[in-house]
mmCIF file of all heavy atoms in Angstrom:
data_model
loop_
_atom_site.group_PDB
_atom_site.id
_atom_site.type_symbol
_atom_site.label_atom_id
_atom_site.label_comp_id
_atom_site.label_asym_id
_atom_site.label_seq_id
_atom_site.Cartn_x
_atom_site.Cartn_y
_atom_site.Cartn_z
ATOM 1 N N SER A 1 76.946 20.059 100.837
ATOM 2 C CA SER A 1 76.810 19.038 101.883
ATOM 3 C C SER A 1 77.163 17.672 101.292
ATOM 4 O O SER A 1 77.226 17.510 100.064
ATOM 5 C CB SER A 1 75.365 19.014 102.379
ATOM 6 O OG SER A 1 74.497 18.578 101.389
ATOM 7 N N GLU A 2 77.394 16.699 102.157
ATOM 8 C CA GLU A 2 77.725 15.361 101.686
ATOM 9 C C GLU A 2 76.588 14.807 100.799
ATOM 10 O O GLU A 2 76.846 14.159 99.787
ATOM 11 C CB GLU A 2 77.995 14.429 102.862
ATOM 12 C CG GLU A 2 78.428 13.039 102.466
ATOM 13 C CD GLU A 2 79.733 12.995 101.666
ATOM 14 O OE1 GLU A 2 80.469 13.980 101.689
ATOM 15 O OE2 GLU A 2 79.958 11.959 101.008
ATOM 16 N N ALA A 3 75.364 15.067 101.183
ATOM 17 C CA ALA A 3 74.229 14.604 100.402
ATOM 18 C C ALA A 3 74.201 15.232 98.986
ATOM 19 O O ALA A 3 73.954 14.550 97.984
ATOM 20 C CB ALA A 3 72.929 14.887 101.115
ATOM 21 N N VAL A 4 74.513 16.530 98.928
ATOM 22 C CA VAL A 4 74.540 17.223 97.649
ATOM 23 C C VAL A 4 75.704 16.680 96.788
ATOM 24 O O VAL A 4 75.541 16.431 95.579
ATOM 25 C CB VAL A 4 74.659 18.726 97.814
ATOM 26 C CG1 VAL A 4 74.969 19.433 96.498
ATOM 27 C CG2 VAL A 4 73.379 19.277 98.425
ATOM 28 N N ARG A 5 76.852 16.503 97.386
ATOM 29 C CA ARG A 5 77.988 15.983 96.643
ATOM 30 C C ARG A 5 77.704 14.572 96.099
ATOM 31 O O ARG A 5 77.955 14.326 94.907
ATOM 32 C CB ARG A 5 79.235 15.971 97.541
ATOM 33 C CG ARG A 5 79.781 17.336 97.888
ATOM 34 C CD ARG A 5 81.190 17.260 98.385
ATOM 35 N NE ARG A 5 81.283 16.566 99.681
ATOM 36 C CZ ARG A 5 81.283 17.179 100.873
ATOM 37 N NH1 ARG A 5 81.151 18.488 100.931
ATOM 38 N NH2 ARG A 5 81.386 16.467 101.972
ATOM 39 N N LYS A 6 77.173 13.695 96.950
ATOM 40 C CA LYS A 6 76.858 12.351 96.487
ATOM 41 C C LYS A 6 75.738 12.360 95.457
ATOM 42 O O LYS A 6 75.716 11.516 94.545
ATOM 43 C CB LYS A 6 76.446 11.479 97.676
ATOM 44 C CG LYS A 6 77.611 11.057 98.572
ATOM 45 C CD LYS A 6 77.140 10.154 99.679
ATOM 46 C CE LYS A 6 78.280 9.676 100.537
ATOM 47 N NZ LYS A 6 77.821 8.796 101.662
ATOM 48 N N GLY A 7 74.817 13.294 95.598
ATOM 49 C CA GLY A 7 73.684 13.339 94.700
ATOM 50 C C GLY A 7 74.001 13.832 93.292
ATOM 51 O O GLY A 7 73.352 13.450 92.330
ATOM 52 N N TRP A 8 75.023 14.754 93.186
ATOM 53 C CA TRP A 8 75.264 15.364 91.870
ATOM 54 C C TRP A 8 76.632 15.071 91.288
ATOM 55 O O TRP A 8 76.770 14.939 90.051
ATOM 56 C CB TRP A 8 75.096 16.877 91.984
ATOM 57 C CG TRP A 8 73.656 17.306 92.040
ATOM 58 C CD1 TRP A 8 72.989 17.855 93.067
ATOM 59 C CD2 TRP A 8 72.689 17.207 90.980
ATOM 60 N NE1 TRP A 8 71.692 18.111 92.748
ATOM 61 C CE2 TRP A 8 71.475 17.731 91.438
ATOM 62 C CE3 TRP A 8 72.770 16.725 89.633
ATOM 63 C CZ2 TRP A 8 70.329 17.796 90.663
ATOM 64 C CZ3 TRP A 8 71.642 16.796 88.864
ATOM 65 C CH2 TRP A 8 70.418 17.310 89.367
ATOM 66 N N LEU A 9 77.701 15.012 92.093
ATOM 67 C CA LEU A 9 79.037 14.943 91.507
ATOM 68 C C LEU A 9 79.295 13.731 90.622
ATOM 69 O O LEU A 9 79.909 13.865 89.552
ATOM 70 C CB LEU A 9 80.073 15.037 92.626
ATOM 71 C CG LEU A 9 80.200 16.417 93.295
ATOM 72 C CD1 LEU A 9 81.291 16.391 94.384
ATOM 73 C CD2 LEU A 9 80.497 17.519 92.297
ATOM 74 N N PRO A 10 78.888 12.521 91.020
ATOM 75 C CA PRO A 10 79.148 11.406 90.103
ATOM 76 C C PRO A 10 78.558 11.583 88.719
ATOM 77 O O PRO A 10 79.184 11.276 87.708
ATOM 78 C CB PRO A 10 78.522 10.221 90.872
ATOM 79 C CG PRO A 10 78.597 10.607 92.287
ATOM 80 C CD PRO A 10 78.305 12.056 92.298
ATOM 81 N N ASP A 11 77.329 12.107 88.664
ATOM 82 C CA ASP A 11 76.696 12.304 87.352
ATOM 83 C C ASP A 11 77.336 13.471 86.608
ATOM 84 O O ASP A 11 77.397 13.461 85.373
ATOM 85 C CB ASP A 11 75.200 12.579 87.552
ATOM 86 C CG ASP A 11 74.411 11.303 87.823
ATOM 87 O OD1 ASP A 11 74.984 10.221 87.665
ATOM 88 O OD2 ASP A 11 73.239 11.416 88.212
ATOM 89 N N LEU A 12 77.759 14.498 87.348
ATOM 90 C CA LEU A 12 78.437 15.616 86.672
ATOM 91 C C LEU A 12 79.781 15.195 86.093
ATOM 92 O O LEU A 12 80.193 15.582 85.003
ATOM 93 C CB LEU A 12 78.633 16.787 87.641
ATOM 94 C CG LEU A 12 77.326 17.475 88.129
ATOM 95 C CD1 LEU A 12 77.708 18.577 89.118
ATOM 96 C CD2 LEU A 12 76.528 18.031 86.963
ATOM 97 N N ALA A 13 80.482 14.323 86.805
ATOM 98 C CA ALA A 13 81.812 13.867 86.338
ATOM 99 C C ALA A 13 81.664 12.929 85.157
ATOM 100 O O ALA A 13 82.497 12.913 84.262
ATOM 101 C CB ALA A 13 82.552 13.186 87.482
ATOM 102 N N SER A 14 80.583 12.110 85.165
ATOM 103 C CA SER A 14 80.455 11.121 84.086
ATOM 104 C C SER A 14 79.761 11.696 82.841
ATOM 105 O O SER A 14 79.802 11.070 81.770
ATOM 106 C CB SER A 14 79.561 9.963 84.609
ATOM 107 O OG SER A 14 78.222 10.378 84.788
ATOM 108 N N GLY A 15 79.149 12.882 82.955
ATOM 109 C CA GLY A 15 78.422 13.440 81.846
ATOM 110 C C GLY A 15 76.951 13.021 81.785
ATOM 111 O O GLY A 15 76.247 13.362 80.861
ATOM 112 N N ALA A 16 76.503 12.258 82.792
ATOM 113 C CA ALA A 16 75.084 11.865 82.843
ATOM 114 C C ALA A 16 74.218 13.075 83.178
ATOM 115 O O ALA A 16 73.017 13.084 82.845
ATOM 116 C CB ALA A 16 74.888 10.795 83.915
ATOM 117 N N ALA A 17 74.776 14.098 83.797
ATOM 118 C CA ALA A 17 74.073 15.325 84.092
ATOM 119 C C ALA A 17 74.869 16.513 83.628
ATOM 120 O O ALA A 17 76.125 16.485 83.589
ATOM 121 C CB ALA A 17 73.788 15.445 85.595
ATOM 122 N N VAL A 18 74.164 17.603 83.253
ATOM 123 C CA VAL A 18 74.809 18.829 82.794
ATOM 124 C C VAL A 18 74.463 19.935 83.785
ATOM 125 O O VAL A 18 73.344 20.061 84.265
ATOM 126 C CB VAL A 18 74.269 19.228 81.416
ATOM 127 C CG1 VAL A 18 74.918 20.535 80.923
ATOM 128 C CG2 VAL A 18 74.556 18.099 80.387
ATOM 129 N N ALA A 19 75.468 20.768 84.107
ATOM 130 C CA ALA A 19 75.308 21.829 85.076
ATOM 131 C C ALA A 19 75.340 23.191 84.396
ATOM 132 O O ALA A 19 76.085 23.416 83.446
ATOM 133 C CB ALA A 19 76.353 21.766 86.145
ATOM 134 N N GLY A 20 74.568 24.150 84.914
ATOM 135 C CA GLY A 20 74.524 25.502 84.414
ATOM 136 C C GLY A 20 74.896 26.505 85.482
ATOM 137 O O GLY A 20 74.393 26.386 86.602
ATOM 138 N N ASN A 21 75.681 27.509 85.161
ATOM 139 C CA ASN A 21 76.103 28.515 86.107
ATOM 140 C C ASN A 21 75.211 29.742 85.963
ATOM 141 O O ASN A 21 75.285 30.435 84.942
ATOM 142 C CB ASN A 21 77.585 28.873 85.855
ATOM 143 C CG ASN A 21 78.047 30.027 86.730
ATOM 144 O OD1 ASN A 21 77.615 30.149 87.873
ATOM 145 N ND2 ASN A 21 78.920 30.849 86.214
ATOM 146 N N ALA A 22 74.426 30.034 86.962
ATOM 147 C CA ALA A 22 73.472 31.157 86.905
ATOM 148 C C ALA A 22 73.896 32.284 87.880
ATOM 149 O O ALA A 22 73.459 32.306 89.032
ATOM 150 C CB ALA A 22 72.079 30.656 87.224
ATOM 151 N N MET A 23 74.757 33.146 87.405
ATOM 152 C CA MET A 23 75.193 34.273 88.200
ATOM 153 C C MET A 23 74.826 35.603 87.549
ATOM 154 O O MET A 23 74.227 36.450 88.183
ATOM 155 C CB MET A 23 76.718 34.209 88.427
ATOM 156 C CG MET A 23 77.302 35.441 89.106
ATOM 157 S SD MET A 23 76.407 35.860 90.662
ATOM 158 C CE MET A 23 77.763 36.097 91.785
ATOM 159 N N THR A 24 75.159 35.759 86.284
ATOM 160 C CA THR A 24 74.924 37.057 85.614
ATOM 161 C C THR A 24 73.460 37.396 85.547
ATOM 162 O O THR A 24 72.602 36.514 85.376
ATOM 163 C CB THR A 24 75.491 37.014 84.184
ATOM 164 O OG1 THR A 24 76.885 36.720 84.240
ATOM 165 C CG2 THR A 24 75.294 38.315 83.456
ATOM 166 N N GLU A 25 73.162 38.687 85.701
ATOM 167 C CA GLU A 25 71.770 39.148 85.583
ATOM 168 C C GLU A 25 71.656 40.199 84.511
ATOM 169 O O GLU A 25 72.672 40.801 84.106
ATOM 170 C CB GLU A 25 71.316 39.728 86.954
ATOM 171 C CG GLU A 25 71.300 38.677 88.059
ATOM 172 C CD GLU A 25 70.800 39.224 89.396
ATOM 173 O OE1 GLU A 25 70.488 40.434 89.477
ATOM 174 O OE2 GLU A 25 70.689 38.404 90.314
ATOM 175 N N PRO A 26 70.469 40.445 84.001
ATOM 176 C CA PRO A 26 70.293 41.403 82.894
ATOM 177 C C PRO A 26 70.860 42.787 83.193
ATOM 178 O O PRO A 26 71.380 43.429 82.288
ATOM 179 C CB PRO A 26 68.742 41.479 82.690
ATOM 180 C CG PRO A 26 68.275 40.122 83.166
ATOM 181 C CD PRO A 26 69.167 39.751 84.329
ATOM 182 N N ASP A 27 70.811 43.214 84.462
ATOM 183 C CA ASP A 27 71.265 44.553 84.820
ATOM 184 C C ASP A 27 72.587 44.525 85.570
ATOM 185 O O ASP A 27 73.019 45.562 86.080
ATOM 186 C CB ASP A 27 70.217 45.294 85.645
ATOM 187 C CG ASP A 27 68.952 45.547 84.826
ATOM 188 O OD1 ASP A 27 69.100 45.795 83.611
ATOM 189 O OD2 ASP A 27 67.875 45.527 85.397
ATOM 190 N N SER A 28 73.212 43.356 85.685
ATOM 191 C CA SER A 28 74.517 43.323 86.349
ATOM 192 C C SER A 28 75.367 42.281 85.683
ATOM 193 O O SER A 28 75.159 41.077 85.814
ATOM 194 C CB SER A 28 74.335 42.985 87.857
ATOM 195 O OG SER A 28 74.266 41.623 88.112
ATOM 196 N N GLY A 29 76.323 42.772 84.881
ATOM 197 C CA GLY A 29 77.256 41.890 84.238
ATOM 198 C C GLY A 29 78.502 41.724 85.073
ATOM 199 O O GLY A 29 78.687 40.789 85.815
ATOM 200 N N SER A 30 79.411 42.763 84.992
ATOM 201 C CA SER A 30 80.614 42.705 85.804
ATOM 202 C C SER A 30 80.360 43.000 87.290
ATOM 203 O O SER A 30 81.120 42.578 88.134
ATOM 204 C CB SER A 30 81.617 43.733 85.256
ATOM 205 O OG SER A 30 82.003 43.381 83.917
ATOM 206 N N ASP A 31 79.342 43.779 87.580
ATOM 207 C CA ASP A 31 79.035 44.126 88.984
ATOM 208 C C ASP A 31 78.147 43.038 89.576
ATOM 209 O O ASP A 31 76.924 43.023 89.405
ATOM 210 C CB ASP A 31 78.334 45.458 89.064
ATOM 211 C CG ASP A 31 78.100 45.934 90.497
ATOM 212 O OD1 ASP A 31 78.515 45.191 91.421
ATOM 213 O OD2 ASP A 31 77.523 47.001 90.680
ATOM 214 N N VAL A 32 78.754 42.107 90.287
ATOM 215 C CA VAL A 32 78.017 40.989 90.887
ATOM 216 C C VAL A 32 77.728 41.249 92.364
ATOM 217 O O VAL A 32 77.325 40.343 93.093
ATOM 218 C CB VAL A 32 78.776 39.665 90.705
ATOM 219 C CG1 VAL A 32 78.910 39.320 89.260
ATOM 220 C CG2 VAL A 32 80.186 39.734 91.397
ATOM 221 N N SER A 33 77.932 42.475 92.818
ATOM 222 C CA SER A 33 77.722 42.775 94.229
ATOM 223 C C SER A 33 76.294 43.240 94.513
ATOM 224 O O SER A 33 75.916 43.428 95.676
ATOM 225 C CB SER A 33 78.700 43.873 94.694
ATOM 226 O OG SER A 33 78.488 45.092 93.998
ATOM 227 N N ARG A 34 75.497 43.448 93.442
ATOM 228 C CA ARG A 34 74.121 43.929 93.638
ATOM 229 C C ARG A 34 73.162 43.063 92.863
ATOM 230 O O ARG A 34 72.529 43.456 91.888
ATOM 231 C CB ARG A 34 74.013 45.383 93.161
ATOM 232 C CG ARG A 34 74.832 46.390 93.990
ATOM 233 C CD ARG A 34 74.745 47.789 93.433
ATOM 234 N NE ARG A 34 75.437 48.742 94.272
ATOM 235 C CZ ARG A 34 76.748 49.007 94.175
ATOM 236 N NH1 ARG A 34 77.486 48.357 93.285
ATOM 237 N NH2 ARG A 34 77.343 49.887 94.980
ATOM 238 N N LEU A 35 73.014 41.854 93.316
ATOM 239 C CA LEU A 35 72.137 40.905 92.650
ATOM 240 C C LEU A 35 70.701 41.216 92.974
ATOM 241 O O LEU A 35 70.282 41.402 94.125
ATOM 242 C CB LEU A 35 72.499 39.469 93.121
ATOM 243 C CG LEU A 35 73.902 38.987 92.818
ATOM 244 C CD1 LEU A 35 74.046 37.542 93.342
ATOM 245 C CD2 LEU A 35 74.214 39.063 91.335
ATOM 246 N N LYS A 36 69.859 41.212 91.893
ATOM 247 C CA LYS A 36 68.442 41.467 92.071
ATOM 248 C C LYS A 36 67.635 40.200 92.334
ATOM 249 O O LYS A 36 66.505 40.301 92.802
ATOM 250 C CB LYS A 36 67.893 42.189 90.849
ATOM 251 C CG LYS A 36 68.430 43.612 90.711
ATOM 252 C CD LYS A 36 67.741 44.344 89.540
ATOM 253 C CE LYS A 36 68.240 45.775 89.474
ATOM 254 N NZ LYS A 36 67.598 46.524 88.353
ATOM 255 N N VAL A 37 68.191 39.026 91.997
ATOM 256 C CA VAL A 37 67.512 37.826 92.385
ATOM 257 C C VAL A 37 67.550 37.718 93.902
ATOM 258 O O VAL A 37 68.591 37.787 94.549
ATOM 259 C CB VAL A 37 68.196 36.575 91.772
ATOM 260 C CG1 VAL A 37 67.604 35.258 92.329
ATOM 261 C CG2 VAL A 37 68.049 36.582 90.245
ATOM 262 N N ARG A 38 66.371 37.565 94.525
ATOM 263 C CA ARG A 38 66.240 37.605 95.956
ATOM 264 C C ARG A 38 65.935 36.210 96.500
ATOM 265 O O ARG A 38 65.228 35.405 95.876
ATOM 266 C CB ARG A 38 65.129 38.553 96.372
ATOM 267 C CG ARG A 38 65.479 40.006 96.092
ATOM 268 C CD ARG A 38 66.685 40.474 96.853
ATOM 269 N NE ARG A 38 67.132 41.798 96.508
ATOM 270 C CZ ARG A 38 66.688 42.913 97.093
ATOM 271 N NH1 ARG A 38 65.806 42.828 98.073
ATOM 272 N NH2 ARG A 38 67.141 44.089 96.714
ATOM 273 N N ALA A 39 66.461 35.920 97.696
ATOM 274 C CA ALA A 39 66.197 34.695 98.405
ATOM 275 C C ALA A 39 65.536 35.011 99.695
ATOM 276 O O ALA A 39 66.096 35.700 100.544
ATOM 277 C CB ALA A 39 67.512 33.930 98.609
ATOM 278 N N ARG A 40 64.299 34.524 99.906
ATOM 279 C CA ARG A 40 63.556 34.727 101.117
ATOM 280 C C ARG A 40 63.561 33.463 101.949
ATOM 281 O O ARG A 40 63.215 32.374 101.433
ATOM 282 C CB ARG A 40 62.102 35.116 100.829
ATOM 283 C CG ARG A 40 61.940 36.447 100.139
ATOM 284 C CD ARG A 40 60.443 36.718 99.839
ATOM 285 N NE ARG A 40 59.890 35.816 98.857
ATOM 286 C CZ ARG A 40 59.039 34.837 99.114
ATOM 287 N NH1 ARG A 40 58.660 34.596 100.391
ATOM 288 N NH2 ARG A 40 58.557 34.086 98.134
ATOM 289 N N GLN A 41 63.945 33.566 103.209
ATOM 290 C CA GLN A 41 63.980 32.377 104.050
ATOM 291 C C GLN A 41 62.551 32.013 104.480
ATOM 292 O O GLN A 41 61.787 32.874 104.892
ATOM 293 C CB GLN A 41 64.858 32.573 105.270
ATOM 294 C CG GLN A 41 65.220 31.315 105.995
ATOM 295 C CD GLN A 41 66.426 31.500 106.901
ATOM 296 O OE1 GLN A 41 66.727 32.627 107.307
ATOM 297 N NE2 GLN A 41 67.120 30.414 107.215
ATOM 298 N N VAL A 42 62.226 30.747 104.325
ATOM 299 C CA VAL A 42 60.908 30.204 104.716
ATOM 300 C C VAL A 42 61.152 28.949 105.503
ATOM 301 O O VAL A 42 62.266 28.381 105.528
ATOM 302 C CB VAL A 42 60.047 29.923 103.469
ATOM 303 C CG1 VAL A 42 59.730 31.227 102.707
ATOM 304 C CG2 VAL A 42 60.699 28.922 102.563
ATOM 305 N N PRO A 43 60.137 28.397 106.167
ATOM 306 C CA PRO A 43 60.356 27.166 106.886
ATOM 307 C C PRO A 43 60.926 26.044 106.004
ATOM 308 O O PRO A 43 60.360 25.721 104.962
ATOM 309 C CB PRO A 43 58.958 26.792 107.405
ATOM 310 C CG PRO A 43 58.283 28.113 107.545
ATOM 311 C CD PRO A 43 58.786 28.949 106.393
ATOM 312 N N GLY A 44 62.048 25.527 106.375
ATOM 313 C CA GLY A 44 62.656 24.421 105.677
ATOM 314 C C GLY A 44 63.533 24.786 104.478
ATOM 315 O O GLY A 44 64.111 23.916 103.843
ATOM 316 N N GLY A 45 63.622 26.090 104.173
ATOM 317 C CA GLY A 45 64.445 26.459 103.025
ATOM 318 C C GLY A 45 64.297 27.904 102.622
ATOM 319 O O GLY A 45 64.124 28.787 103.461
ATOM 320 N N TRP A 46 64.313 28.146 101.287
ATOM 321 C CA TRP A 46 64.347 29.459 100.740
ATOM 322 C C TRP A 46 63.449 29.538 99.506
ATOM 323 O O TRP A 46 63.197 28.537 98.867
ATOM 324 C CB TRP A 46 65.773 29.862 100.303
ATOM 325 C CG TRP A 46 66.764 29.819 101.438
ATOM 326 C CD1 TRP A 46 67.349 28.710 101.974
ATOM 327 C CD2 TRP A 46 67.275 30.935 102.153
ATOM 328 N NE1 TRP A 46 68.190 29.084 102.994
ATOM 329 C CE2 TRP A 46 68.159 30.448 103.115
ATOM 330 C CE3 TRP A 46 67.038 32.327 102.061
ATOM 331 C CZ2 TRP A 46 68.837 31.293 103.992
ATOM 332 C CZ3 TRP A 46 67.726 33.178 102.926
ATOM 333 C CH2 TRP A 46 68.619 32.651 103.885
#
């Protein structure tokens, strides 16, 4: 969203903030179609 872009991208581009990519799971390396991390929808978010 525009708010997320404004909130993070300037700091990510300048090096003021560091980003981490969290995709791989202990039981799924190459197979990313069966993620065990679950997201439950709740009021206002997840």
Side-chain angles (χ1 to χ4, degrees):
S1 66
E2 183 61 17
V4 169
R5 291 197 294 266
K6 287 183 176 179
W8 284 112
L9 290 181
D11 283 348
L12 294 178
S14 70
V18 178
N21 175 34
M23 174 52 133
T24 301
E25 296 183 358
D27 295 326
S28 86
S30 297
D31 185 1
V32 297
S33 64
R34 295 177 176 84
L35 300 180
K36 291 186 178 180
V37 171
R38 293 298 174 89
R40 296 179 291 108
Q41 196 161 21
V42 297
W46 300 79

